[in-house]
Amino acid sequence: MSVTRRLLLISNSTEHGSGFLEYCSERVKAFFSKYGVSKVLFVPYALFDYDGYTRKARNAFQNMGLELESIHEKEDPVEAVKEAQGIFIGGGNTFRLLKTLYDNNVIEPITERVLQSGLPYMGSSAGTNVATVSICTTNDMPIVFPPSFKALGLVPFNINPHYIDPEPGSIHMGETREERIKQYHEERTTPVLGLKEGSMLEVEGDKAVLRGKTGAKLFIRGQEPQVLEIGTDISHLLKSE
Amino acid sequence: MSVTRRLLLISNSTEHGSGFLEYCSERVKAFFSKYGVSKVLFVPYALFDYDGYTRKARNAFQNMGLELESIHEKEDPVEAVKEAQGIFIGGGNTFRLLKTLYDNNVIEPITERVLQSGLPYMGSSAGTNVATVSICTTNDMPIVFPPSFKALGLVPFNINPHYIDPEPGSIHMGETREERIKQYHEERTTPVLGLKEGSMLEVEGDKAVLRGKTGAKLFIRGQEPQVLEIGTDISHLLKSE
Ligand SMILES: [Ca+2]
Ligand SMILES: [Ca+2]
């Protein structure tokens, strides 16, 4: 069965020294325009201050000529998802975000609309984590306890946003990002795509391509990590469905 | 009620360029000797390879003139805790460690023995995280799902081991450690002690003192973070009991 799926999964919303979504605004605009979306449903659950976050996001979307409504301003979150033309889940804390998605019963409605009726989905950082199989490869602190680490499952692999290789010469003894992902693979077989800051994954149906300007590192259990350049087609990772 | 409690909570087991527990071996030796402990029960649950980890820990303890037995080599983990003279929970992945403590039903027995009969408890990194109120301020990846984030509660605050201030000039957009702890305080009121690498907290009854060579940063919700020098008495943090 072919999957109707339109995703833009961004590593980070903000580049050092520029505004929210500024560095990737052309890509975001093109993504929603392509599918005829003029109004986007925003999910601010990853940050504590929903109103402040919504103002920031609305401003960035207005600059792209797009309208933005926040799910927290709607009476019924489930209805809001059912009626959305497009959805954007912003970054922040992944545990808080996933817990709130569960608390508001929107996990299933979002998954259904994205995978069955092709609702365009954009995520950044934590919003990219929750689009994958699980939040088991987030970088965030577990500040709240969600009922599960299982996420939306819009792709059959995990993503590590803000992926970074160790600083040469670092003497800090905390695990490097690569060591953390290796620990995950001691427990699970799910592939992990380490998306460097400045990169994003665009998925349309059964096709997935790396976009942006930095690239990614792909971790498959039991194999050497692979460096992936921008433009790489990684559609094969969608096949495990 | 005065609490019988003997703890050595270390930020990190290994200093760059030296062996396991080498940099703090004098402190560790003094801690166990003080309480007449000659044989320590080791808990290797935070790493995947229990046997390898036990060999490494046993070697380090033998160099200090102490015997070490691992809980995974004993028939009954609960019995092993009940009979222990002293306990050392090593670092690795905090989620894996806490889940395995729950799976093996040793949470309650350890808490009981430490708080009621004064079993000397040493933790490093993840082993320090699980000694506190919750693992909500760990730095680790959530590679497995524990039944709760609630930990042993041997002290009435949380610790962030491997605490580090941001690199000056960094352009990485992931949250700094301080921002992560601030996010935690958006959800909870529990104080957080950021223990820098090279530091440890020594607790005896109702007295808690910072040891080692680097220091700590104390985060109280709604207050400016406080820099704490080595030797600082932070017994007041034990008072919320
Ligand atoms: Ca985050
Ligand atoms: Ca760790």
Side-chain angles (χ1 to χ4, degrees):
Chain A
M1 190 191 76
S2 183
V3 176
T4 313
R5 178 173 40 189
R6 295 146 168 182
L7 315 174
L8 185 62
L9 303 178
I10 303 180
S11 175
N12 54 307
S13 61
T14 311
E15 196 172 65
H16 185 76
S18 83
F20 188 69
L21 294 177
E22 209 175 302
Y23 83 95
C24 55
S25 64
E26 284 309 310
R27 181 69 65 183
V28 173
K29 213 166 130 175
F31 173 74
F32 284 116
S33 309
K34 190 177 177 181
Y35 303 120
V37 176
S38 59
K39 184 157 70 176
V40 172
L41 182 69
F42 177 54
V43 178
Y45 296 157
L47 289 188
F48 182 73
D49 175 9
Y50 293 173
D51 289 337
Y53 200 6
T54 298
R55 272 195 300 278
K56 194 158 108 170
R58 182 171 283 139
N59 187 48
F61 273 71
Q62 275 173 348
N63 289 341
M64 297 181 228
L66 290 163
E67 223 182 305
L68 181 141
E69 291 185 311
S70 178
I71 196 167
H72 84 285
E73 295 164 340
K74 306 285 235 169
E75 209 152 305
D76 181 345
V78 174
E79 275 308 303
V81 169
K82 285 192 179 153
E83 289 164 5
Q85 292 177 30
I87 191 167
F88 166 41
I89 304 194
N93 184 284
T94 311
F95 294 87
R96 175 157 52 197
L97 169 57
L98 186 65
K99 181 176 188 302
T100 314
L101 291 172
Y102 275 109
D103 288 351
N104 289 323
N105 301 308
V106 290
I107 294 277
E108 261 194 49
I110 295 174
T111 306
E112 234 180 74
R113 285 227 51 209
V114 174
L115 294 184
Q116 284 166 32
S117 55
L119 177 73
Y121 177 105
M122 169 174 153
S124 77
S125 195
T128 287
N129 273 122
V130 298
T132 69
V133 171
S134 77
I135 64 161
C136 291
T137 55
T138 177
N139 308 307
D140 289 334
M141 252 187 197
I143 60 172
V144 292
F145 186 66
S148 165
F149 290 161
K150 198 172 172 293
L152 295 165
L154 308 181
V155 292
F157 51 89
N158 269 1
I159 289 179
N160 175 249
H162 303 273
Y163 180 79
I164 191 165
D165 283 316
E167 294 283 316
S170 168
I171 60 162
H172 188 72
M173 298 304 291
E175 294 90 344
T176 65
R177 195 66 61 82
E178 189 164 326
E179 284 165 354
R180 291 166 194 273
I181 295 171
K182 212 171 269 178
Q183 285 185 338
Y184 173 67
H185 278 153
E186 290 169 349
E187 303 289 340
R188 295 284 182 278
T189 57
T190 310
V192 179
L193 183 67
L195 262 187
K196 290 186 189 168
E197 292 194 346
S199 294
M200 56 206 80
L201 184 67
E202 194 162 22
V203 181
E204 190 168 9
D206 295 329
K207 198 171 162 69
V209 181
L210 267 184
R211 303 289 184 199
K213 45 190 176 181
T214 47
K217 210 161 179 176
L218 178 62
F219 299 86
I220 308 275
R221 182 183 183 160
Q223 296 180 19
E224 280 300 301
Q226 299 163 50
V227 173
L228 303 180
E229 304 295 327
I230 286 306
T232 305
D233 186 312
I234 53 167
S235 306
H236 64 281
L237 283 180
L238 299 172
K239 292 277 166 62
S240 33
E241 287 172 309
Chain B
M1 189 191 76
S2 183
V3 176
T4 313
R5 179 172 42 189
R6 295 147 169 183
L7 315 175
L8 186 63
L9 304 179
I10 303 179
S11 176
N12 54 307
S13 60
T14 311
E15 197 173 65
H16 185 77
S18 84
F20 188 69
L21 295 176
E22 208 174 303
Y23 83 95
C24 55
S25 64
E26 284 310 310
R27 181 71 63 184
V28 173
K29 214 167 129 175
F31 173 74
F32 285 115
S33 309
K34 189 175 179 183
Y35 304 119
V37 176
S38 59
K39 184 158 70 176
V40 172
L41 182 68
F42 177 55
V43 178
Y45 295 158
L47 288 188
F48 182 74
D49 176 10
Y50 294 172
D51 287 338
Y53 200 5
T54 299
R55 271 195 300 278
K56 194 158 106 171
R58 182 170 284 138
N59 187 50
F61 274 70
Q62 276 172 348
N63 289 341
M64 298 180 227
L66 290 163
E67 222 183 306
L68 181 142
E69 291 186 312
S70 178
I71 196 168
H72 84 286
E73 295 164 340
K74 305 286 234 168
E75 209 153 302
D76 181 345
V78 174
E79 274 308 305
V81 169
K82 286 193 178 150
E83 291 164 7
Q85 291 179 29
I87 190 166
F88 166 42
I89 304 196
N93 184 284
T94 311
F95 294 87
R96 175 156 52 199
L97 169 57
L98 187 64
K99 181 177 188 300
T100 314
L101 291 172
Y102 276 108
D103 289 350
N104 288 324
N105 302 308
V106 289
I107 294 277
E108 262 193 47
I110 295 173
T111 306
E112 236 180 72
R113 286 228 49 210
V114 174
L115 293 184
Q116 284 165 32
S117 54
L119 177 72
Y121 177 105
M122 168 176 155
S124 78
S125 193
T128 286
N129 274 122
V130 299
T132 69
V133 172
S134 76
I135 64 162
C136 291
T137 55
T138 176
N139 308 308
D140 289 334
M141 254 187 195
I143 60 171
V144 293
F145 186 66
S148 165
F149 289 161
K150 197 171 173 295
L152 295 165
L154 307 180
V155 293
F157 52 87
N158 269 0
I159 290 180
N160 176 249
H162 302 274
Y163 179 79
I164 190 165
D165 283 317
E167 295 282 318
S170 168
I171 59 162
H172 187 72
M173 298 303 291
E175 293 91 345
T176 65
R177 194 65 62 81
E178 189 164 327
E179 285 165 352
R180 291 166 195 274
I181 294 169
K182 212 170 268 176
Q183 286 185 337
Y184 173 67
H185 278 153
E186 290 169 349
E187 305 286 340
R188 295 283 183 277
T189 57
T190 310
V192 180
L193 183 68
L195 261 188
K196 291 186 190 169
E197 293 194 348
S199 292
M200 57 205 80
L201 184 66
E202 194 161 23
V203 182
E204 190 168 10
D206 295 329
K207 198 173 162 65
V209 181
L210 268 183
R211 302 290 184 198
K213 45 187 178 185
T214 49
K217 209 161 181 178
L218 177 62
F219 299 86
I220 309 275
R221 183 181 181 160
Q223 296 181 18
E224 280 299 301
Q226 298 163 52
V227 173
L228 304 180
E229 306 294 328
I230 287 307
T232 305
D233 186 312
I234 53 169
S235 305
H236 63 281
L237 284 180
L238 298 172
K239 292 275 168 60
S240 33
E241 287 172 308

